[in-house]
Amino acid sequence: MKEKQMTAASPAGAPSTGFNHWNSIDWSVVLKHVHRLQVRIAKAVEQKRWHKVVALSHLLTHSYYGKIWAVRRVVSNRGKNTAGVDGVIWKTPKQKMNAVKALRQRGYRPQPLRRVYIPKSNGKQRPLGIPTMKDRAMQALYALALTPIAERLADRNSFGFRERRGVADAIEQCFICLARKTSAHWVLEADIKACFDRIDHDWMVRHIPMDRRILSAWLKSGYIEEQAFRRTEEGTPQGGIISPVLANMVLDGLEAAVHAAVPKTGTHVHVIRYADDFIVTGAGPEILTGRVKPAVEAFLACWGLELSQEKTHLRSIHDGFDCHVISKVIFSDIDRHVDRLLRNWMRRRHRGKTITWCRNKYMKRWGMRWQFTIESRLRTGVIKIARLFHAADLPIIRHIKINGEAHPYDPIYATCFEQRRSRQRQRRTMDQRVLLTTALERI
């Protein structure tokens, strides 16, 4: 009876004893306990019970299951073989279990980041700060508690670096806001100047709902570049696991600030944000330059940020702003190009024949158009006819945008997310079938 009590999980979700070996961990059990605490945190935020939010966050960041899940995230992502300044990588099961035991808050001090640069599309270089494995695991641990808070407080139309959201949702929201004849015809394309590098540290420490000592230590940890230590007085480093969550929490509220600055009707103002890039639609240039842009600049100034004048533009949707996805046009261009290649091939193969003769030999009329067709006689004597597949015949299935209020820590939306996953699986299956039949279609 005593042994049974020792191995049972506590009501709060943290076990009294742990797993003996990394390979013996039941990840479904770990995820169940972690997610249960995350749901409770999100519910407490919804009820504005901030003392309970603090208590539950402390419970999750000190739980054994939370530490196991944090280490798992570090050793399973793309950077699992990239070391920090200490050169340490966790590869063996023993190293991973020891890492779980080493995740203690008391006396914790992060090490400096290892600075590396990656090329950008415009020829410049983007700086990345690579934390040590232990610091990454500690960030992943606190991100477990911070993400439910961020999701509950996030803007409706924020799509970057958020769970169960992506670029397709942002594109579909642009389509919804701009596709109708009565939609806005003007767009303010905005970009925040060096967003990750210039966020005010003091504001973050005062407003981000997590352990202030640990957050401040991360922000002030500095970095190593060319074997020299350099301080960080502002910004959150790109490359840290928790950095996208922090950046999103800084920018959440932008949508409300814009809507508060414009009339509620007739302006067609919509904010669509992906990480630090966003657009604002409007009925005319006056509303965007006279009210929206000053409201955005005032909002960003509170956190030590400003718009990039080089990358911020006011455009008409008729003069260069693309809604990005027009598949029917692209598919039709592909069909015209293939038809032109086939006609050139027929002329080369039958140089003495007219184009009408070539068309009658290789083309058959299907419905309202001519299509390249091949006839072949099988050994059984049956004549099989195959015609060229036209890309424009593919049905257009639009992506269904996620509900603006939905997040994975609200049980109300569990069915919606399951249906969304099911549709994605069906779409992948359909895409694979199309790839197998795009050369020549059946009769």
Side-chain angles (χ1 to χ4, degrees):
M1 185 68 179
K2 183 177 180 181
E3 181 181 356
K4 192 172 183 179
Q5 291 176 346
M6 288 179 63
T7 57
S10 65
S16 54
T17 61
F19 298 97
N20 294 325
H21 195 273
W22 182 264
N23 294 332
S24 67
I25 296 176
D26 188 341
W27 293 110
S28 62
V29 173
V30 176
L31 178 59
K32 177 183 176 182
H33 284 79
V34 170
H35 186 70
R36 185 174 66 179
L37 277 175
Q38 290 178 313
V39 169
R40 293 178 63 189
I41 291 172
K43 185 176 181 179
V45 174
E46 181 180 1
Q47 297 172 344
K48 300 187 184 304
R49 300 174 63 183
W50 301 110
H51 291 291
K52 188 173 183 180
V53 172
V54 173
L56 291 172
S57 299
H58 182 274
L59 185 61
L60 179 53
T61 54
H62 288 73
S63 70
Y64 186 69
Y65 282 136
K67 294 177 180 179
I68 289 178
W69 194 257
V71 172
R72 181 181 186 268
R73 179 175 178 181
V74 171
V75 299
S76 60
N77 62 16
R78 290 186 298 176
K80 62 184 179 181
N81 295 321
T82 304
V85 293
D86 59 356
V88 174
I89 298 177
W90 299 333
K91 289 188 175 181
T92 67
K94 184 177 180 180
Q95 289 175 326
K96 297 171 186 177
M97 292 303 298
N98 290 337
V100 174
K101 299 174 184 177
L103 287 184
R104 299 187 182 94
Q105 284 79 0
R106 179 175 297 179
Y108 169 71
R109 293 187 62 183
Q111 297 190 54
L113 307 174
R114 182 167 69 88
R115 174 61 64 92
V116 297
Y117 292 90
I118 59 174
K120 297 171 64 175
S121 57
N122 58 5
K124 298 181 180 179
Q125 291 187 320
R126 183 189 304 277
L128 288 183
I130 302 178
T132 63
M133 297 289 279
K134 181 177 180 180
D135 292 336
R136 271 178 263 175
M138 191 66 78
Q139 289 188 19
L141 178 61
Y142 275 86
L144 289 176
L146 194 59
T147 301
I149 304 174
E151 287 290 332
R152 185 61 188 82
L153 300 176
D155 290 344
R156 287 175 53 89
N157 295 304
S158 166
F159 301 101
F161 301 125
R162 292 186 61 188
E163 297 186 20
R164 313 288 176 85
R165 298 188 179 215
V167 176
D169 293 301
I171 293 173
E172 187 61 21
Q173 180 64 16
C174 291
F175 180 83
I176 292 171
C177 295
L178 298 169
R180 298 182 179 89
K181 292 182 178 179
T182 57
S183 299
H185 285 191
W186 290 88
V187 174
L188 178 67
E189 294 182 77
D191 183 88
I192 302 174
K193 186 176 182 179
C195 178
F196 281 85
D197 299 329
R198 301 184 62 178
I199 300 176
D200 184 70
H201 283 181
D202 293 336
W203 184 93
M204 295 179 69
V205 173
R206 289 196 308 269
H207 292 85
I208 299 297
M210 64 166 289
D211 189 305
R212 294 184 177 183
R213 182 189 68 83
I214 291 182
L215 176 58
S216 179
W218 283 335
L219 297 175
K220 302 293 186 182
S221 62
Y223 60 92
I224 302 295
E225 184 178 24
E226 298 179 351
Q227 299 182 345
F229 174 78
R230 305 179 188 277
R231 297 182 180 275
T232 48
E233 300 298 338
E234 59 181 3
T236 176
Q238 299 184 59
I241 287 179
I242 205 171
S243 295
V245 183
L246 297 176
N248 264 337
M249 294 191 76
V250 168
L251 297 177
D252 285 331
L254 174 63
E255 195 169 340
V258 169
H259 286 299
V262 299
K264 294 183 179 180
T265 58
T267 57
H268 297 289
V269 171
H270 299 278
V271 181
I272 306 165
R273 179 167 65 86
Y274 191 92
D276 59 333
D277 296 319
F278 62 95
I279 67 167
V280 185
T281 68
E286 299 82 8
I287 195 72
L288 291 176
T289 57
R291 295 201 177 190
V292 170
K293 190 174 180 181
V296 171
E297 291 173 337
F299 175 85
L300 295 177
C302 297
W303 329 132
L305 300 174
E306 62 181 347
L307 289 176
S308 171
Q309 300 303 322
E310 298 176 355
K311 300 180 181 180
T312 300
H313 306 284
L314 179 65
R315 300 181 186 275
S316 167
I317 60 173
H318 303 294
D319 298 330
F321 185 82
D322 195 341
C323 298
H324 182 72
V325 176
I326 312 177
S327 301
K328 278 293 184 183
V329 174
I330 302 300
F331 290 160
S332 298
D333 290 343
I334 293 174
D335 289 337
R336 284 193 293 270
H337 183 65
V338 171
D339 287 342
R340 185 165 57 252
L341 293 176
L342 288 172
R343 289 178 183 274
N344 293 338
W345 172 82
M346 288 186 289
R347 287 174 176 174
R348 290 196 305 270
R349 184 176 177 86
H350 306 283
R351 295 184 182 276
K353 304 295 183 181
T354 64
I355 189 62
T356 303
W357 184 94
C358 294
R359 185 190 65 184
N360 293 334
K361 179 176 177 60
Y362 292 102
M363 310 286 283
K364 301 294 183 184
R365 195 167 185 84
W366 295 85
M368 299 298 294
R369 65 187 178 195
W370 294 86
Q371 287 186 261
F372 188 82
T373 307
I374 296 177
E375 296 183 1
S376 59
R377 185 181 297 273
L378 304 179
R379 293 182 179 179
T380 58
V382 177
I383 297 177
K384 185 176 180 181
I385 302 176
R387 62 189 176 95
L388 183 68
F389 178 82
H390 273 238
D393 291 339
L394 280 173
I396 301 301
I397 302 176
R398 297 209 64 84
H399 175 77
I400 299 178
K401 187 185 77 70
I402 191 172
N403 186 320
E405 300 289 344
H407 61 83
Y409 307 107
D410 191 337
I412 295 177
Y413 297 104
T415 303
C416 296
F417 282 117
E418 181 56 38
Q419 293 174 350
R420 187 178 174 90
R421 284 193 294 267
S422 178
R423 287 195 300 267
Q424 291 172 346
R425 287 194 295 267
Q426 292 174 0
R427 183 65 182 272
R428 285 194 294 268
T429 302
M430 185 184 71
D431 291 344
Q432 292 171 358
R433 291 174 180 173
V434 169
L435 288 174
L436 294 175
T437 59
T438 51
L440 290 174
E441 195 185 19
R442 63 188 184 283
I443 296 176

